[in-house]
Amino acid sequence: MDIYQLRSFVVLAEHLHFGRAAKALHLSQPALTKQIRRLEEDLGSSLFERAHGATRLSSVGETWLPQVRELLARFDQTATLGKKTASGATGRLRIGFGFHTLQLVPAIVVELRRTAPDSLITLRDMSTAEQAAALGAGLLDVGFMRTPLAEPAKYQTMPAIKDRLTLVAPKTAGRPTKRRLADFRNEPFVSISRERSPGFSQHMLNLCSAHGFHPRIVQEVHEFPTAIALVRAGMGITMIPESLSTADVDGVQRHRLEDRRAVWTVDAVWRRGDTNPLLAEFVRLLQLRRPR
């Protein structure tokens, strides 16, 4: 038996007339009769009784009809879900992101939920190293990180956002608001640890080297708010992404570094060949927002 025979059985049970049922099914009457006979042969029992020009359900047909209706309803639900998943209207998407994309990623997720309200979307705040490991292990569908990555042939990338190193120092009366990086060569530095963000840490070291000095790091931390708090307390100075706001922090002052080498790009990264339709829709929405 197949799904077409079961559907024919239900329609005939509703009409109790071969001609009207065949018309509703867009079949010829002989074709419908053939389907019902094959179904009865598979069951080993009659489903309909035919006498004096009338058709009615047999006792087996009456007992079986509710079960077949339930089965067809589940089949239709499954088929609908499959079509939605294939079109990206539903499904699962696991996203890793960091402080750079704290505004970008949630905004795209809101847009994605408008087109795929039934989808399961998970967001995880992770370092670049954690995202790379999770992508490689198949625990993330897309991440946002600096490139290049190890084994780049395994991944596809797209520029997502540009950011810039900016320096944060204690606000001190009499100090100029615009200072060069080299002006801070003798200051103690508070730095994000290499373990937490190896790309950011190396970028800071490279920029300082380009300006003729190696920073004297007196404290490493895992989070930028901690670094800013230590600067405010007078431990030294720090570098943070320009995208990270300090507007609500008293006692500190930002110094924009006017050097093209202070700029970097964060890429969206996903596994090459991933056919997840929800990922494709996410990437499409991201492409509309990416830097030009």
Side-chain angles (χ1 to χ4, degrees):
M1 66 184 70
D2 59 37
I3 198 72
Y4 301 106
Q5 293 169 355
L6 294 176
R7 204 176 295 280
S8 294
F9 162 64
V10 170
V11 172
L12 181 56
E14 291 169 350
H15 288 275
L16 294 178
H17 188 284
F18 275 83
R20 289 193 293 270
K23 185 176 181 180
L25 290 164
H26 304 289
L27 294 173
S28 66
Q29 187 169 328
L32 174 60
T33 301
K34 191 173 184 180
Q35 284 192 1
I36 298 301
R37 283 178 179 170
R38 284 182 177 176
L39 194 56
E40 290 174 330
E41 289 172 1
D42 287 341
L43 286 174
S45 176
S46 295
L47 293 170
F48 296 93
E49 296 176 355
R50 308 162 185 83
H52 307 295
T55 301
R56 66 180 183 179
L57 282 165
S58 69
S59 59
V60 172
E62 288 180 351
T63 302
W64 200 42
L65 180 60
Q67 299 174 46
V68 176
R69 279 179 170 151
E70 183 180 347
L71 175 63
L72 289 175
R74 289 201 303 270
F75 176 84
D76 290 340
Q77 289 170 0
T78 302
T80 299
L81 179 60
K83 290 176 181 178
K84 285 184 175 181
T85 302
S87 67
T90 188
R92 181 187 71 172
L93 189 66
R94 300 161 298 175
I95 306 169
F97 70 105
F99 51 84
H100 307 291
T101 50
L102 193 57
Q103 294 182 351
L104 174 67
V105 171
I108 296 176
V109 168
V110 169
E111 290 184 46
L112 187 61
R113 284 206 176 279
R114 291 195 185 105
T115 59
D118 299 326
S119 56
L120 175 62
I121 302 173
T122 57
L123 296 166
R124 293 180 61 189
D125 185 354
M126 308 167 74
S127 69
T128 291
E130 289 169 337
Q131 290 184 63
L135 268 174
L139 302 177
L140 280 184
D141 299 302
V142 60
F144 289 84
M145 62 193 80
R146 291 169 179 253
T147 54
L149 299 169
E151 302 181 285
K154 290 185 177 181
Y155 302 100
Q156 287 184 257
T157 64
M158 176 193 296
I161 193 170
K162 287 183 179 179
D163 215 334
R164 173 188 292 270
L165 290 174
T166 190
L167 196 140
V168 178
K171 185 178 289 186
T172 305
R175 274 191 173 181
T177 56
K178 290 186 178 181
R179 301 177 68 190
R180 299 173 304 161
L181 179 56
D183 295 335
F184 295 92
R185 66 170 62 244
N186 296 320
E187 300 278 353
F189 273 69
V190 178
S191 173
I192 290 296
S193 70
R194 181 174 290 274
E195 177 187 1
R196 169 62 176 167
S197 187
F200 187 92
S201 176
Q202 190 61 51
H203 192 176
M204 183 194 74
L205 294 177
N206 291 344
L207 188 62
C208 289
S209 177
H211 284 260
F213 72 99
H214 185 84
R216 179 166 60 90
I217 298 172
V218 296
Q219 181 68 51
E220 288 193 342
V221 296
H222 273 62
E223 305 294 339
F224 287 107
T226 305
I228 295 169
L230 290 174
V231 170
R232 184 186 181 196
M235 180 172 284
I237 64 172
T238 192
M239 285 193 197
I240 66 172
E242 190 173 59
S243 59
L244 190 65
S245 174
T246 57
D248 58 346
V249 181
D250 294 328
V252 299
Q253 184 173 346
R254 296 166 67 111
H255 298 271
R256 195 171 196 265
L257 301 176
E258 300 293 349
D259 186 328
R260 61 179 179 80
R261 291 168 294 190
V263 177
W264 77 92
T265 301
V266 175
D267 286 355
V269 182
W270 62 96
R271 289 182 301 279
R272 191 176 297 279
D274 192 331
T275 58
N276 182 346
L278 201 58
L279 171 62
E281 178 62 12
F282 181 85
V283 171
R284 186 189 71 81
L285 293 172
L286 173 63
Q287 193 166 21
L288 298 177
R289 290 173 171 263
R290 68 176 182 167
R292 302 299 178 184

